[in-house]
Amino acid sequence: MVISRGFHGRRAKADDVLTARLPPGQHPTADFPVLSAGATPRMPLDQWTFTIRGAVDRPVTWTWAELRALPQETVSADIHCVTKWTKLGTVWTGVSLDTLLAEVVTSARYVTAYCDGGYTTNLPVADLRGGKAWIVNGYDGAPLAPEHGGPARLLVPHLYFWKSAKWIQGLELRTRDEPGFWEMYGYHNYGDPWKEQRYSGD
Ligand SMILES: Nc1nc2c(c(=O)[nH]1)N[C@H]1C(S)=C(S)[C@@H](COP(=O)(O)O)O[C@H]1N2
Ligand SMILES: [Mo]
C-alpha cells in the first residue's frame, strides 16, 4: 500500500479506510515478520504430500503435482498476528479448503492442522469451509518462501495468524476439539482478532 504524502486530504481518507480494517489493538506493518517456533524445515517437492485423515470415511493424500493440478485461487487478505502487527492486502495463491474437503465424508466438527516440524493448531471445520481458508503455495506472485511456510501453508485470515499453519502436512479431523501448540501454551482456543481473543480467558 503506497500512500502519497503530497495529498493530505486523500491521505486522511486512506488512513480512515485502513483504520477500519485494523482489529482492536493491532497496528499496521509494511514488512512481513517471520514468526516460527523452530527451525525452517526444507521439504523436497517430490516428497511433499498433503493428507486429510482422522474422522473421515477414508483418508485422502495429494502429491505436490496433484495439489498444483487443482483449481488455484488468488486471495487478497489482511493478516493479523497476535503479537499485534497487521499486514493489510497480502496476496496469496492456493487451493480452497472447500475443494480439498469435498474429497472426504465427515461429520467431525474439529480439525487439527499438523506440520513438518511438529507444530499443530486446532480450529472448527466450519472455519475452513465457505471460501474462508486455503492451502497456499504462492505469495505476491512468487513461490511461498520457506520461512513463511513454503512449500505450502494453511491460510485462515479471519483468525489470528498463528492458526495459519506453516509447512502444513495435513488435517486431522476430530469429533472432539483438542488444543494445538500455542493453544496449549495459553493462546485463545478460537482466536477471533475482531473480538481480541488473544489468550485463553479473553
Ligand atoms: N508450522 C508452524 N506454523 C506457524 C508457526 C510456527 O511456529 N510453525 N507460527 C505461527 C505464528 S505464531 C504466526 S504469527 C505465523 C507467522 O507466519 P509468518 O512467519 O509467515 O509471518 O505463522 C504461524 N504458523
Ligand atoms: Mo503469532
Side-chain angles (χ1 to χ4, degrees), residues 73-106:
E73 297 183 3
T74 298
V75 182
S76 189
D78 302 337
I79 53 177
H80 314 292
C81 178
V82 71
T83 62
K84 301 201 168 178
W85 56 265
T86 283
K87 190 167 176 58
L88 296 167
T90 59
V91 180
W92 308 80
T93 315
V95 176
S96 170
L97 256 305
D98 292 307
T99 303
L100 298 164
L101 285 169
E103 298 303 315
V104 297
V105 178
T106 182

Side-chain angles (χ1 to χ4, degrees), residues 18-41:
L18 297 188
T19 303
R21 285 165 61 179
L22 276 183
Q26 297 293 113
H27 60 77
T29 181
D31 55 342
F32 194 170
V34 171
L35 283 106
S36 305
T40 296

